[in-house]
Amino acid sequence: MDRPAAEPGWTPEPVDADLAAEDLVKELTAGRNAYAWKFRIPYWYCHFTERQQMSGYLRLMEEAKDRLVADRGVSITTLLDEQNWIPVAPHSRITVLDEAPMEEDLYVVLTVESVFKGFTYDSRMDTYVVRDGKLVQTATGRITHGYAVIENRRDWSLVSFDDRMNAALEGRAA
C-alpha cells in the first residue's frame, strides 16, 4: 500500500528522544516550551478507514492548545469566566507525513514558537508513533491563536495578553 509522501511548507525539527527513557512524553518536551501527551487513536478519528484522518489531527491541535493553557493555569474556562476571553484561531495548517493507524499510540507535542505583539501566538504541533524501535513523525502543523472579547453577535475585539497569559505562553510563572 502507498504511504503518504507529503512535505510541509517548513522543515520539521528533528527530535532527539531516548526511546528507552521511562517517560517518553518528558523526553519529547525536554528543553522546549512545549506540552505533550500520549494518545491512543480511537476509531472515530479514522472516519471509516484504518488511519487517522485530517479532522482527527485538527481536533488534536485544538486539544493540544486546550491542554497547554490549562496546564499553565489559564484554562479556556478560566479565561471565559474571569475575563470573557474566547480563543480565536485565524490560521492553521497541518501536513500528514506518515500514516497513523487506529489504536496506535500517538505522541502529541505542542510547542509555543512565538508571541506576536502580545496579541497572537504561533504554535507547532508534531505527532509521533514508535515503530520498529524508532520515533516516526506522522504529522506536523502550525496554528495561530489569540483571544477575543465578544460583546454581542456582531461586535468583538482582539485583546492583548495580560501578564498571566504572557507568562503561560513563555512557560514561566506569572
Side-chain angles (χ1 to χ4, degrees), residues 13-65:
E13 285 187 22
V15 174
D16 185 24
D18 179 4
L19 298 181
E22 187 175 317
D23 189 345
L24 185 53
V25 168
K26 283 185 180 178
E27 281 284 307
L28 291 170
T29 58
R32 299 164 69 179
N33 183 7
Y35 180 87
W37 78 100
K38 182 177 166 182
F39 174 80
R40 183 177 174 269
I41 301 170
Y43 74 89
W44 59 88
Y45 276 45
C46 298
H47 299 290
F48 310 108
T49 71
E50 296 174 349
R51 292 163 192 80
Q52 176 149 314
Q53 301 297 303
M54 181 65 72
S55 63
Y57 284 113
L58 288 169
R59 287 180 190 177
L60 284 173
M61 186 177 273
E62 286 298 333
E63 183 176 351
K65 180 266 192 312

Side-chain angles (χ1 to χ4, degrees), residues 93-156:
R93 179 177 176 185
I94 295 174
T95 304
V96 177
L97 302 170
D98 204 331
E99 59 188 31
M102 185 185 320
E103 298 185 0
E104 190 164 32
D105 287 331
L106 190 68
Y107 291 86
V108 182
V109 182
L110 185 74
T111 305
V112 177
E113 293 191 317
S114 64
V115 177
F116 182 72
K117 295 189 176 189
F119 282 97
T120 62
Y121 66 98
D122 291 321
S123 300
R124 188 185 71 250
M125 180 188 76
D126 297 297
T127 62
Y128 306 91
V129 296
V130 176
R131 260 188 224 133
D132 301 322
K134 296 179 185 172
L135 196 62
V136 177
Q137 189 168 12
T138 63
T140 188
R142 287 211 156 96
I143 190 164
T144 300
H145 272 108
Y147 287 89
V149 171
I150 300 173
E151 303 296 335
N152 56 52
R153 290 181 179 250
R154 292 195 293 175
D155 298 321
W156 64 275

